[in-house]
Amino acid sequence: MATVVKTPPVPGSHAVEERTREIGRALFRQIGRGPSPFDRSWWDDQLMGLTMEDPEVKVQLFRFIDALPTLVEPASVRRHLNEYLQEAGDRVPNLISMPLSLAPSGAVGDRMLARMARAAATRMARRFITGSTPEEAFRTVLSLRRKGVAFTADLLGEAVITDREAEVYQRTCLELIQGLAEPLAAEPEIPRIDRDNRGPIPRVNLSLKLTSLTPRFDPTAAEATTDRVLNRLRPILREAMTCHAFVNVDMEQYAFKDLTYAIFRRALDEPEFRDYPHFGIVCQAYLIDAETDLRNLRDWAETRGTPITIRLVKGAYWDYEVLLAHQVGWPLPVYSRKWETDACFERCSEFLLDHHQWLRPAFGSHNVRSLAHAMASAEVREIPIDAYEVQILHGMGDPIRRALVGRGHRVRVYSPYGAMLPGMAYLVRRLLENTSNESFLRASAHGDVPVEELLRNPQEVGTMRAVVTRPRNEAKPSGKLPPFTNQPPIDFARAENRDRMRSALDHVRAQLGREYPLQIGRDEIRTDDRLVSESPNDVSLIVGRTAKAKPEHADRALTIAESVYPSWSSTPAQTRADVLFKAAAIMRAHLFELAAWEVFECAKPWAEATSDVDEAIDFCEFYARRMLDLADPRHRDVPGETNRLEYFGRGVAVVIPPWNFPLAIPCGMTVAALVAGCPVILKPAEQSPIIAWHLVQILREAGAPPEVIQYLPGVGEEVGAALVDDPRTAVVAFTGSKAVGLTINRVAAETKAGQSHVKRVIAEMGGKNAIIIDDDADLDEAVVGVLTSAFGYAGQKCSAASRAIVLDGIYDAFVQRLAEALPSWTVGPADDPDPAIPPVISAEARHRINDYKQIARSEGRVVAELDIGSLADRGHYVGPMIVADVAPKARIAQEEVFGPILTVIRARDLDDALRITTEVEYALTAGLYSRSPAHIDRVSRSLRVGNLYINRPCTGALVDRQPFGGFKMSGIGTKAGGPDYLLEFLLARSITENTMRRGFAPDIEELADREPSTFAQP
């Protein structure tokens, strides 16, 4: 149990500031001018300076190093180096481009260049990585001890995407603790690094990442993730206590922060770990909630009764957090300006020092001002120098390290440990993510910024910039709509959103089993024959029962829709658009509830369900704005004549949506027709009529007259066929199978007696989508991306990847990692946030998929398949399957399965991969994982598919950002969510008026002012 230390009153900030500058000046004097040209490190610094000087050169060289470990053939090394340097153009220094020109082309030259490249990368890696074997790491540790410096070992390597890799990470942690404990215990004590103000401290110090202890660190499934992590963390903590070692938990992306802290607290609250004082965790000062996090940790540590160590850092994911927030529309979790982060670091430093009896400070920074402020704050508080420590990165702050050791501080070097080249690639990714790392890499080159400027108070910097910067006038023009932006997704890393989803599920569960009538005009009609919607998660759960429409109901609905068409089509576009805006607002207010209905009726997992509601909102907002744009007539006037082009609705629209996006797709097709002026008859999918009923209620509540949005659930072959065949139907919007889509197109093409128009058919009909894996692909990203694309929502997306086409050089490694990763993608009900793969929609779908599994077994080699066990008795569950060595023309590689079966096909080279990709009857989506700029460019130019995704999953198109739709047998019509989609529901008329009367025109005076050449004939 720690002794409570009474903190003396803190002197004024002026004293701290003055002392900060004094310490900072002294540190800069001690740092000096750095190594001389006779030192090897000087030459390393010069080379590093060349790579850092130009941002584009830096990025391209780091990308090359990132790819280098995967490049097996020497010719591939040359090709990639050429491609990356070409991206940087003439900015590449001669010292870097010279080896390319000196090494002759051909096998001998390629081998020479490859050896040079690997040697240079390994040399760079050795500067930043302590070793690739325990023996090398121990030699580095001893070398540091001889310099009076402590260490913390950080394990590098590829991302953990399999349980085997998580077990290897855990075992390596245990072996590192065990392997270092005994030899370090035999070393003579160095009081400065082996003791603090309370006594002896551990000599073995390990930094680990909780995300590396499980292949699925998912904040949405916080409880299940916690259990998985703790099962592997507890043995490490026990070994640390046995060997008297220190364990620090690193912090990563913001999305993982709250769960990381929660797991850390839960572990240390367990009785066996509660009293051990040598555990710690990171706090990132660039986060806006950093100070709140520290207060929470302080309160918890007091309650626990044992102190912890806090490693205070600026943070290493700033670029990533900013880009992600802007992409998805979330608030920035980080400070947007460097001085704000620096100021927060100083406030956090003072908080740690004020509460050092519970939160032992470890200041991790290479910023002399930040470190000097922490030291000054400790001095004026009369906190002993051994009550805190400073941490720096191995190979990135040696002059600062020497200066701090010279002042008597305990300095701990953060020491990455692992295989050299893969480890360097990992480190490079961290450097590219964090522009602030550039500053301490360049520090070795000693910039020309004056010392006093470097030591300026960050708060003072911010105040000065606020005075200099003029405030921008961001007021929007009165009455003008803001530009369209996508609805931000729900962040389930936040506990309050998980709680809201659970509450919504409970709320909807209480409403299951109700009955829903047809809605024809203003009438609600109940029938003796009904559709029963059962939950795929649990077939004993009846989501609801709807009346079943017959052809006579279709006839009545068409009569009403046809009668209201003239008035609705002539209703002002603004009025129609307002219905969509109001519908979007209603959906936002009921987002979690609507998502909960999808979870029960269609087995949509939490994130997929909320994203589906987001997309429905996007369709409303986007199409409303697009209609307002189109409603503004296009004028092409000439002297004496006015010309305008205007649009009006085609007529009655029949909407036949699928069940797999049960709100977004029906909403998109329906609101596009409505806002265009077409009355809609919605015939929902038989598997998802209840969610469609809620959509109709929302649109009517938003102001759509009952006559223009009617609800006719029923069997497709009965009521759907009657609606398509009827001559009063002007537009059919369909999404579903190729067979049904082609039937609708054929029937609609037949002109009936009395029919005065040609029906317009918009049909999205599926795909057999492929992702190409280049031989230089990042396997961590490619494996996860393929699994996400293939098995997200159990493969029940028309955009899902059902083929992975892998180049020969990486085929075996890819298949092995893919197969090993699959077991962590567990199967289970969608209302449970932990399983990655939900059930399929129906018993019919399950039987069809299982039949295709038998075909797959006969056409390829099954490398992974999950057993669903007792789930088969509960709902419509199918275990995912990966089958490799499949011939491109095999049935399983050609036919759309619409379920969790992934075929893996070997390709000789990129030409072969492109050929295989296109030799199917569909052309909807495709993907590419590659680090070759030339290959990315070539695939982008030559692969004719509707949506091509590069180095990301091939599902998840967003309205406006990625308009969706394909070619060949994948669809008829233009892209949904794109600028042209509304034109499918519109007719255009051109109106011309002759304004000349007996030689006079209203604009004659204006013409008199024009130059004669204006009227010259071509």
Side-chain angles (χ1 to χ4, degrees):
M1 187 70 68
T3 303
V4 176
V5 179
K6 187 176 293 185
T7 304
V10 179
S13 59
H14 179 73
V16 174
E17 184 62 29
E18 286 299 312
R19 185 60 183 140
T20 295
R21 292 175 186 264
E22 291 173 3
I23 294 173
R25 294 185 193 106
L27 284 174
F28 275 118
R29 286 194 298 271
Q30 290 172 284
I31 290 172
R33 298 301 300 173
S36 74
F38 298 102
D39 295 330
R40 171 177 169 176
S41 60
W42 185 89
W43 293 97
D44 288 341
D45 288 346
Q46 301 311 303
L47 181 60
M48 184 65 70
L50 282 173
T51 64
M52 297 294 105
E53 188 63 32
D54 187 292
E56 184 62 26
V57 174
K58 177 192 74 171
V59 167
Q60 298 307 328
L61 282 176
F62 277 2
R63 285 178 175 169
F64 172 71
I65 295 170
D66 183 38
L68 186 58
T70 66
L71 305 180
V72 177
E73 298 298 326
S76 183
V77 174
R78 177 189 287 272
R79 176 171 65 84
H80 280 76
L81 185 56
N82 260 323
E83 290 176 16
Y84 286 125
L85 293 183
Q86 285 171 7
E87 295 280 308
D90 57 6
R91 295 188 294 273
V92 180
N94 290 333
L95 185 61
I96 297 175
S97 59
M98 191 181 301
L100 268 174
S101 58
L102 292 179
S105 56
V108 175
D110 290 347
R111 285 195 296 271
M112 180 192 310
L113 186 65
R115 281 197 298 268
M116 292 171 61
R118 295 185 194 282
T122 302
R123 180 188 177 96
M124 184 186 294
R126 290 190 185 281
R127 174 169 181 174
F128 303 123
I129 299 174
T130 58
S132 56
T133 66
E135 293 75 18
E136 289 178 353
F138 182 63
R139 285 198 296 270
T140 301
V141 168
L142 289 183
S143 174
L144 289 171
R145 284 185 66 84
R146 283 193 292 270
K147 299 171 184 175
V149 178
F151 79 98
T152 181
D154 169 60
L155 302 183
L156 294 179
E158 295 178 324
V160 171
I161 60 176
T162 72
D163 279 307
R164 181 185 64 82
E165 290 166 354
E167 289 164 2
V168 168
Y169 185 88
Q170 180 205 43
R171 185 166 62 251
T172 305
C173 289
L174 293 169
E175 291 172 351
L176 203 56
I177 292 172
Q178 296 160 354
L180 291 176
E182 186 174 346
L184 283 178
E187 287 293 307
E189 183 182 79
I190 304 174
R192 182 195 299 129
I193 63 174
D194 294 334
R195 288 181 172 271
D196 65 8
N197 62 320
R198 307 184 193 206
I201 57 175
R203 300 183 182 186
V204 177
N205 193 299
L206 173 71
S207 292
L208 59 81
K209 296 174 177 62
L210 298 188
T211 57
S212 295
L213 295 173
T214 175
R216 288 185 58 232
F217 193 93
D218 184 1
T220 305
E223 291 301 320
T225 299
T226 298
D227 290 341
R228 287 193 294 268
V229 170
L230 286 176
N231 286 339
R232 290 197 174 102
L233 179 62
R234 289 188 187 100
I236 297 173
L237 301 183
R238 290 186 189 113
E239 192 64 30
M241 292 172 62
T242 300
C243 297
H244 190 61
F246 183 96
V247 173
N248 188 83
V249 173
D250 275 340
M251 197 62 64
E252 299 177 85
Q253 294 96 323
Y254 180 72
F256 300 152
K257 174 182 72 73
D258 287 347
L259 184 54
T260 298
Y261 280 136
I263 295 173
F264 178 78
R265 290 193 296 263
R266 179 164 159 184
L268 270 56
D269 274 336
E270 294 181 359
E272 63 177 313
F273 308 123
R274 192 178 186 92
D275 297 330
Y276 190 69
H278 300 304
F279 296 129
I281 197 165
V282 167
C283 178
Q284 297 162 312
Y286 66 12
L287 294 179
I288 293 171
D289 25 345
E291 293 165 272
T292 300
D293 291 335
L294 286 183
R295 284 193 292 271
N296 292 337
L297 287 167
R298 185 270 319 272
D299 294 343
W300 165 75
E302 282 192 49
T303 303
R304 177 175 176 248
T306 306
I308 60 169
T309 296
I310 297 294
R311 176 191 294 156
L312 181 65
V313 300
K314 302 287 177 69
Y317 296 83
W318 189 90
D319 284 354
Y320 170 84
E321 304 294 1
V322 171
L323 289 174
L324 178 65
H326 282 296
Q327 280 182 1
V328 302
W330 288 341
L332 275 180
V334 296
Y335 290 109
S336 59
R337 291 166 290 193
K338 184 180 184 300
W339 70 264
E340 292 175 312
T341 295
D342 291 342
C344 182
F345 187 93
E346 295 190 2
R347 294 193 300 272
C348 290
S349 298
E350 292 182 336
F351 184 90
L352 290 176
L353 292 167
D354 288 338
H355 302 280
H356 68 279
Q357 66 271 37
W358 298 114
L359 305 179
R360 296 174 169 175
F363 302 111
S365 178
H366 297 78
N367 185 308
V368 172
R369 159 74 200 195
S370 299
L371 296 178
H373 175 269
M375 297 168 194
S377 298
E379 280 189 18
V380 298
R381 287 167 170 80
E382 299 180 4
I383 296 174
I385 195 172
D386 56 356
Y388 64 92
E389 67 182 37
V390 177
Q391 298 190 358
I392 62 174
L393 294 173
H394 180 74
M396 296 184 186
D398 290 349
I400 299 174
R401 183 201 72 201
R402 289 189 291 267
L404 293 172
V405 171
R407 289 179 55 85
H409 291 280
R410 181 169 69 255
V411 178
R412 189 174 303 280
V413 172
Y414 189 86
S415 307
Y417 163 81
M420 283 293 169
L421 278 183
M424 187 61 197
Y426 175 92
L427 192 58
V428 160
R429 288 196 287 270
R430 299 290 79 81
L431 296 176
L432 286 173
E433 286 167 355
N434 182 11
T435 54
S436 68
N437 282 346
E438 184 180 328
S439 64
F440 62 74
L441 284 175
R442 289 193 176 191
S444 59
H446 302 296
D448 297 325
V449 181
V451 167
E452 292 304 318
E453 182 68 22
L454 294 172
L455 293 176
R456 180 175 293 179
N457 187 326
Q459 196 65 49
E460 177 187 341
V461 173
T463 303
M464 290 180 61
R465 290 184 179 175
V467 171
V468 172
T469 304
R470 296 178 180 176
R472 291 179 299 173
N473 183 10
E474 296 184 352
K476 297 179 178 66
S478 177
K480 187 171 183 180
L481 284 169
F484 171 78
T485 56
N486 295 100
Q487 175 74 11
I490 297 299
D491 182 5
F492 282 112
R494 304 186 71 86
E496 61 267 27
N497 286 332
R498 298 195 295 271
D499 292 341
R500 291 178 70 186
M501 190 66 194
R502 292 190 187 95
S503 296
L505 289 168
D506 291 340
H507 176 69
V508 168
R509 191 178 281 110
Q511 301 178 60
L512 298 181
R514 295 181 178 180
E515 300 201 0
Y516 301 86
L518 309 180
Q519 293 188 316
I520 301 178
R522 297 182 181 275
D523 296 331
E524 293 188 347
I525 298 174
R526 303 180 187 277
T527 61
D528 293 334
D529 201 6
R530 293 171 296 179
L531 289 176
V532 179
S533 177
E534 63 182 22
S535 176
N537 305 299
D538 185 345
V539 293
S540 67
L541 282 179
I542 302 301
V543 179
R545 298 175 176 85
T546 68
K548 184 187 291 186
K550 297 292 186 181
E552 56 268 27
H553 298 116
D555 177 71
R556 183 175 170 186
L558 283 163
T559 299
I560 293 172
E562 186 183 39
S563 69
V564 79
Y565 160 64
S567 61
W568 182 246
S569 182
S570 60
T571 298
Q574 184 66 61
T575 302
R576 301 196 305 261
D578 285 343
V579 171
L580 273 61
F581 289 133
K582 292 173 185 175
I586 294 168
M587 290 181 196
R588 284 192 195 93
H590 297 276
L591 194 152
F592 287 95
E593 181 181 347
L594 290 167
W597 280 108
E598 296 194 19
V599 169
F600 285 115
E601 188 167 39
C602 296
K604 277 274 192 181
W606 289 19
E608 298 252 11
T610 54
S611 293
D612 192 59
V613 183
D614 294 338
E615 187 175 4
I617 294 169
D618 284 349
F619 278 131
C620 291
E621 293 281 357
F622 180 73
Y623 289 150
R625 284 170 170 79
R626 182 64 183 135
M627 189 65 238
L628 293 176
D629 290 339
L630 292 170
D632 188 10
R634 176 177 176 267
H635 291 274
R636 292 288 292 164
D637 297 342
V638 296
E641 179 182 280
T642 63
N643 296 280
R644 71 181 188 272
L645 182 70
E646 59 185 32
Y647 296 94
F648 60 96
R650 285 183 173 273
V652 177
V654 170
V655 172
I656 305 175
W659 48 264
N660 59 336
F661 290 86
L663 185 66
I665 294 181
C667 179
M669 294 193 293
T670 298
V671 301
L674 285 178
V675 81
C678 301
V680 173
I681 300 171
L682 174 60
K683 203 298 288 184
E686 295 156 42
Q687 300 88 343
S688 58
I690 310 304
I691 300 168
W693 184 88
H694 285 286
L695 170 62
V696 172
Q697 307 323 299
I698 288 169
L699 291 171
R700 290 186 171 193
E701 182 183 343
E707 295 83 1
V708 304
I709 174 63
Q710 302 180 83
Y711 172 70
L712 260 69
V715 175
E717 292 83 354
E718 297 177 359
V719 66
L723 289 167
V724 170
D725 189 54
D726 196 283
R728 290 167 290 184
T729 296
V731 184
V732 179
F734 167 79
T735 299
S737 70
K738 181 191 75 172
V740 176
L742 293 179
T743 299
I744 289 174
N745 190 54
R746 186 183 69 251
V747 171
E750 297 176 3
T751 305
K752 302 291 183 182
Q755 181 176 325
S756 60
H757 57 270
V758 177
K759 295 176 184 177
R760 174 60 61 95
V761 174
I762 312 153
E764 194 277 289
M765 301 185 299
K768 189 67 180 175
N769 311 300
I771 296 180
I772 297 172
I773 313 298
D774 202 351
D775 56 11
D776 67 348
D778 185 320
L779 281 187
D780 298 337
E781 293 183 358
V783 168
V784 174
V786 168
L787 289 172
T788 300
S789 302
F791 300 136
Y793 194 39
Q796 298 175 115
K797 301 178 184 179
C798 53
S799 59
S802 57
R803 298 180 296 156
I805 301 173
V806 188
L807 268 63
D808 184 68
I810 205 171
Y811 182 88
D812 293 332
F814 176 81
V815 169
Q816 180 181 346
R817 291 201 76 195
L818 191 72
E820 291 176 347
L822 183 61
S824 65
W825 288 63
T826 54
V827 179
D831 53 328
D832 181 347
D834 184 46
I837 302 175
V840 297
I841 191 65
S842 65
E844 179 186 358
R846 183 180 71 241
H847 295 320
R848 185 188 69 253
I849 295 165
N850 283 331
D851 288 344
Y852 270 109
K853 280 190 170 185
Q854 294 305 317
I855 295 171
R857 290 187 176 92
S858 68
E859 293 185 332
R861 171 173 58 96
V862 177
V863 295
E865 182 178 11
L866 296 191
D867 181 13
I868 59 172
S870 61
L871 286 171
D873 301 326
R874 180 180 174 185
H876 305 311
Y877 294 91
V878 176
M881 170 190 278
I882 300 173
V883 55
D885 306 340
V886 176
K889 293 291 188 179
R891 281 187 64 189
I892 198 66
Q894 290 286 317
E895 299 175 10
E896 186 178 37
V897 178
F898 223 67
I901 300 177
L902 173 68
T903 63
V904 187
I905 302 169
R906 188 189 299 264
R908 294 186 303 274
D909 50 29
L910 189 61
D911 287 337
D912 197 31
L914 287 168
R915 178 187 60 78
I916 295 168
T917 300
T918 56
E919 285 185 345
V920 292
E921 61 181 351
Y922 300 99
L924 186 55
T925 73
L928 168 69
Y929 280 89
S930 175
R931 287 185 281 197
S932 165
H935 284 189
I936 290 172
D937 178 66
R938 184 174 170 209
V939 171
S940 299
R941 286 186 289 105
S942 62
L943 193 54
R944 294 289 188 263
V945 292
N947 291 66
L948 174 62
Y949 299 95
I950 298 168
N951 291 324
R952 56 149 283 178
C954 70
T955 60
L958 292 176
V959 171
D960 185 43
R961 202 179 298 182
Q962 296 118 10
F964 186 77
F967 320 130
K968 295 167 71 172
M969 288 298 170
S970 287
I972 307 166
T974 191
K975 283 177 167 292
D980 302 327
Y981 188 69
L982 288 191
L983 298 178
E984 300 283 4
F985 299 89
L986 292 166
L987 295 170
R989 61 183 171 186
S990 178
I991 301 173
T992 301
E993 180 184 354
N994 176 17
T995 60
M996 192 182 307
R997 296 292 184 271
R998 300 187 182 276
F1000 169 78
D1003 47 10
I1004 192 67
E1005 293 182 3
E1006 177 190 342
L1007 292 174
D1009 295 332
R1010 297 189 186 180
E1011 294 292 331
S1013 60
T1014 304
F1015 305 103
Q1017 294 296 317

